[in-house]
């Protein structure tokens, strides 16, 4: 079936392992079972009516195990097109349709998704995206730099403010809350925002630089809009959100809400419950790539391939591609030209120190947020120096200079970072 | 550490695979890293302040691979106690704390959770539970029987009503929507509820029996309460909800909402993205057991061990135990006596025919909902006969009669079912 000629199908691709299944039969079973329920038994007149609801097998690619490989490694990539009139235009409806019951049916992983043009048109996507975030910061000529609080639980406002100030003085563009900081008596959201935004203003006098503070949006689902309003009224200029703990639709509704006119940063908390198994779950490029962008995340954090919490490099590159691609056909098979969604900023995270900046820029290009925690706070000369070391590393890379040479050229903070953590190019 | 002496910790148990890790060190790293961030560097006075926020290692049980087993099968069960003052009293906060970042940290699966008494006290649990659902139906002396629509997409109201009526005439206690039926022009929720509840009333005249219809609650997250109100105003007396597509908190808020005074049935759609891998994700007993009950599901569907969509029997039994246990310590380690949460009805689903009823009752006891789709609609004498065959099977079991003998005793519908599908005892 040629779905490219239709604009009315969302297409799911599965990798399905089975030692002896007839994968073509399995594919046909999915296409019927998850749409009209039964097909061959239907009278001819009924078939004519039901045809527009019937799922279609687009492609079945069987990979027989190579010589010496175990039979359990036999798999097929199965692509099924689901008529978009079968479900409402929200992500829960799509996911329940394409991977609700099916997720429980043996060794099967959802490895790609694309959307009908009509489904896609219901999603405005990132309100700010890369361009909008850059506009807010007034920075268009270099990768951005973000830092993370070192520790937050049990700290009071003055302590948090001081941590914030030191990070801001280092010249970072964004600071994010820790994702495990919830409403608490020591640092409730509106007072935390006030204290940190004051520190941001104080730092701006020294650095001349704007800064986005992504405060953690938490609490009861049906109170999220109100909680976001509270944060924004207190001065928050960005939000951090644990998308997978609330579902993609909560993000989609937050990002399109008229009162929430600040960038939203998606945290990958719980993503490891979905993507790492080759046999089950949802591929990282779908989970942290396409669906995050579709739901309107302006920035998306994901485990970098460099640190202790790792993700294989090819999965990182697939997420990057999903967040950045401007090829419309990546999101809607039948579309062509420019993708209708703004780009989301990729934020590879964990294990980042200044000596990794050349590699990050090589892997991700300029449209990336360099994000560090320990690499800022653990700097031998303190957190502000840590930020400066990263900014120097970024400047050195953009100037095309070898990092070690650039450090020796009077960039003491970068030099100290290299002495502490080395360089990986 | 003896957490049993404290009431202030939520305790997570992980199974963690690693060929050579020092699991005790890893456990200590989790306990500190996911709470106070750092510990050994803190000055003594600060430690005294921070101690109440510090996570504790409760237990580390290392399983070295047996002779002949691969080194990759080396694992440890690690139990960490998290102070409940670190997070707000909602499930997203708990899950992000105990399995947010950690889910992405190698081969690690969340296999158990228990709650502090304070955390638990924030959850009323199932509003109806087994007792309440039985009271609504007026049936206390036998397992319940549920049936599922055969196919729903592309069907108009009269067709759906007729399907409903045939199921109801067979004497089922509950009928549920298909989880992939969303808002659509043919059968919008309020008209669907009206049509089906009329059919229920019509059937009641014939059967003398009450019936709950669980209509599928779908659409935008922040509109769920309003959508539920609309359904209830139209006469809905139960709701079906795809919990995992919206997050556990949405269920928790729906179940405690003053306007939503009908039982809620949790569908396991997407659960297969979480539970099947031994190395990643969240165990079925936590996902479809403890968390569903905590969040207030009155009935919980999960894949039966009998059909094509299967789950190993021991996982089924662990879900059952989580939904039914009255032992308080299963939910809060430090508690004793009666569990504070009402019981949720287990609904093992998929592949159920009347000949399986003896086995279901043996595995689950009387506190179970026997749930069938094909086993009702595919009955040789029609759907109403299918329902009757199940009711006969249940009656025969309760009378202590062998099914084949009971069928021969003038129960033609049961006999026809046995002829079609056999018996598994």
């Amino acid at each position: 079936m040629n779905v490219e000629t239709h604009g009315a199908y969302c297409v799911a691709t599965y990798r399905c392992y089975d030692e002896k299944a007839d994968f073509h039969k399995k594919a046909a079973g999915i296409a019927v079972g998850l749409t009209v329920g039964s097909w061959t038994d239907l009278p001819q007149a009924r078939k004519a009516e039901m045809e527009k609801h019937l799922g279609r097998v687009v492609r079945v690619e069987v990979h027989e195990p190579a010589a010496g490989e175990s039979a359990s490694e036999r798999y097929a990539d199965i692509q099924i097109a689901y008529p978009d009139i079968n479900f409402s235009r929200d992500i829960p409806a799509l996911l329940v349709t394409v991977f609700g019951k099916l997720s429980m049916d043996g060794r099967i992983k959802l490895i790609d998704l694309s959307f009908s043009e009509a489904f896609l048109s219901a999603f405005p996507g990132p309100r700010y995206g890369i361009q909008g975030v850059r506009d807010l910061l007034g920075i268009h000529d270099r990768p951005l730099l973000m830092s993370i609080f070192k520790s937050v639980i049990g700290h009071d406002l003055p302590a948090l403010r001081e941590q914030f100030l030191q990070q801001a003085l280092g010249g970072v563009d964004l600071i994010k809350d820790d994702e495990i900081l919830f409403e608490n008596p020591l640092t409730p959201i509106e007072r935390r925002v006030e204290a940190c935004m004051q520190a941001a203003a104080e730092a701006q006098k020294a650095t001349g630089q704007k800064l986005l503070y992504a405060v953690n949006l938490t609490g009861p689902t049906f109170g999220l809009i109100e909680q976001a309003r509270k944060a924004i009224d207190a001065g928050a200029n960005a939000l951090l959100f644990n998308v997978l703990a609330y579902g993609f639709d909560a993000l989609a509704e937050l990002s399109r809400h008229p009162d929430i006119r600040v960038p939203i940063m998606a945290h990958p908390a719980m993503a490891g419950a979905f993507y790492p198994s080759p046999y089950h779950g949802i591929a990282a490029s779908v989970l942290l790539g396409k669906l995050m962008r579709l739901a309107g995340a302006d920035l998306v954090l994901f485990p970098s391939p460099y640190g202790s919490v790792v993700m294989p490099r090819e999965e990182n590159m697939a997420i990057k591609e999903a967040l950045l691609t401007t090829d419309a056909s990546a999101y809607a098979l039948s579309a062509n030209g420019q993708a209708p969604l703004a780009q989301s900023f990729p934020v590879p995270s964990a294990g980042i120190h200044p000596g990794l900046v050349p590699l990050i820029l090589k892997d991700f290009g300029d449209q990336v947020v360099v994000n560090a925690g320990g690499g800022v706070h653990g700097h031998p000369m303190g957190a502000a120096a840590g930020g400066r070391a990263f900014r120097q590393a970024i400047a050195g890379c953009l100037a095309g200079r070898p990092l070690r040479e650039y450090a020796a050229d009077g960039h003491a903070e970068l030099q100290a970072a290299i002495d502490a953590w080395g360089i990986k190019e």
Side-chain angles (χ1 to χ4, degrees), chain A:
Chain A
M1 180 229 176
N2 180 13
V3 286
E4 281 78 3
T5 59
H6 301 248
Y9 291 85
C10 288
V11 178
T13 309
Y14 311 97
R15 182 157 295 178
C16 179
Y17 284 83
D18 198 296
E19 299 196 11
K20 47 184 195 288
D22 176 341
F23 285 120
H24 289 86
K25 198 175 151 194
K26 188 175 175 82
I30 295 170
V32 172
L34 298 183
T35 59
V36 295
S38 59
W39 185 250
T40 45
D41 312 341
L42 292 184
Q44 210 53 44
R46 189 78 187 120
K47 279 190 182 171
E49 285 165 33
M50 293 292 273
E51 185 143 25
K52 63 178 178 295
H53 296 286
L54 175 65
R56 312 293 173 130
V57 178
V58 182
R59 189 165 61 86
V60 178
E61 243 176 60
V62 182
H63 295 253
E64 297 294 345
E69 254 187 335
S70 155
S72 69
E73 290 307 300
R74 180 173 178 269
Y75 74 89
D77 287 344
I78 292 176
Q79 205 168 40
I80 306 288
Y82 296 86
D84 67 6
I85 57 165
N86 288 1
F87 42 87
S88 48
R89 290 177 186 172
D90 56 81
I91 297 177
L94 177 66
L95 286 177
V96 167
T97 297
V98 309
F99 207 50
K101 205 175 281 174
L102 192 57
S103 72
M104 295 177 273
D105 192 14
R107 292 193 298 161
I108 186 163
K109 183 170 184 175
L110 178 64
I111 60 170
D112 201 7
L113 259 184
S114 66
F115 313 101
S116 72
E117 288 177 83
F119 188 87
L120 197 55
S121 73
F123 293 82
R127 185 192 289 269
Y128 294 90
I130 289 181
Q131 192 56 42
V133 169
R134 287 190 172 285
D135 289 346
L136 287 172
L137 291 167
I139 295 173
H140 296 90
D141 57 354
R142 60 165 174 81
L144 299 182
L145 176 62
M146 175 156 97
S147 74
I148 305 177
F149 285 94
K150 187 186 177 191
S151 58
V152 290
I153 287 179
H155 291 248
D156 59 13
L157 277 177
L160 225 56
R161 186 189 193 284
E162 180 58 24
Q163 253 195 72
F164 189 100
L165 182 64
Q166 291 308 313
Q167 296 175 79
L169 286 171
V172 303
D173 304 297
L174 303 104
I175 296 177
K176 73 170 258 297
D177 261 354
D178 206 333
E179 80 282 0
I180 58 168
L181 187 60
F182 304 98
E183 277 307 80
N184 71 93
L186 287 172
T187 53
I189 194 163
E190 62 276 47
R191 300 193 53 206
R192 188 161 88 239
V193 166
E194 277 165 26
C196 291
M197 293 310 290
Q198 279 170 10
E202 185 181 331
Q204 192 175 346
K205 284 181 201 147
T207 62
Q209 200 183 314
K210 288 183 192 163
L211 190 152
L212 293 172
Y213 167 40
V215 69
N216 199 18
L217 180 65
T218 68
T221 306
F222 301 135
L224 287 170
I225 298 282
E226 200 42 49
Q227 184 76 352
R229 277 201 197 100
K230 200 199 279 185
I232 292 167
D233 287 349
N237 59 5
L239 297 170
L240 177 70
F241 188 50
N242 289 310
V243 178
L244 300 175
Y246 292 93
F248 283 102
D249 184 67
L251 171 60
E253 290 185 75
L254 287 165
S255 77
R256 70 175 64 173
H257 196 283
D259 293 354
I260 303 180
R261 299 197 160 267
V262 299
I264 302 178
M265 187 183 293
H267 195 279
M270 299 187 63
F274 293 89
Y275 70 73
S277 167
Y279 306 122
H280 301 285
I282 301 176
S285 58
V286 176
L287 192 77
L288 299 174
K290 283 189 174 180
L291 289 174
M292 288 294 186
R293 185 173 174 192
L294 183 71
D298 298 293
L299 307 103
V300 181
L301 277 78
F302 51 88
S304 82
Y306 317 115
S308 57
V309 176
V310 293
M311 178 183 278
R313 191 176 168 283
E314 62 272 25
E315 288 187 42
N316 255 257
M317 294 302 102
I319 294 176
K320 171 192 125 178
E321 178 64 19
L323 298 179
L324 295 183
T325 183
T326 54
D327 176 359
S329 70
Y331 277 76
L333 286 190
S334 56
N336 47 45
Q338 190 86 356
L341 303 169
Q343 295 171 306
S344 308
F345 244 128
V347 191
S349 301
I352 310 290
H353 57 79
L356 277 167
V357 169
L359 191 54
I360 297 171
L361 271 52
K362 195 171 124 202
D363 282 343
F364 287 88
D366 292 351
Q367 302 297 27
V368 68
V369 177
V370 176
N371 176 31
V376 165
H377 297 282
H379 191 280
M381 300 153 70
R388 284 193 287 273
F390 272 104
R391 287 290 303 275
Q392 290 162 6
I394 291 170
C397 285
L398 293 186
R401 305 273 300 276
L403 218 54
R404 210 173 290 278
E405 180 192 302
Y406 191 77
D409 214 2
H411 297 107
E413 292 91 344
L414 179 55
Q415 186 60 56
I418 293 171
D419 292 346
W421 295 300
I423 294 183
K424 198 171 168 192
E425 272 169 304

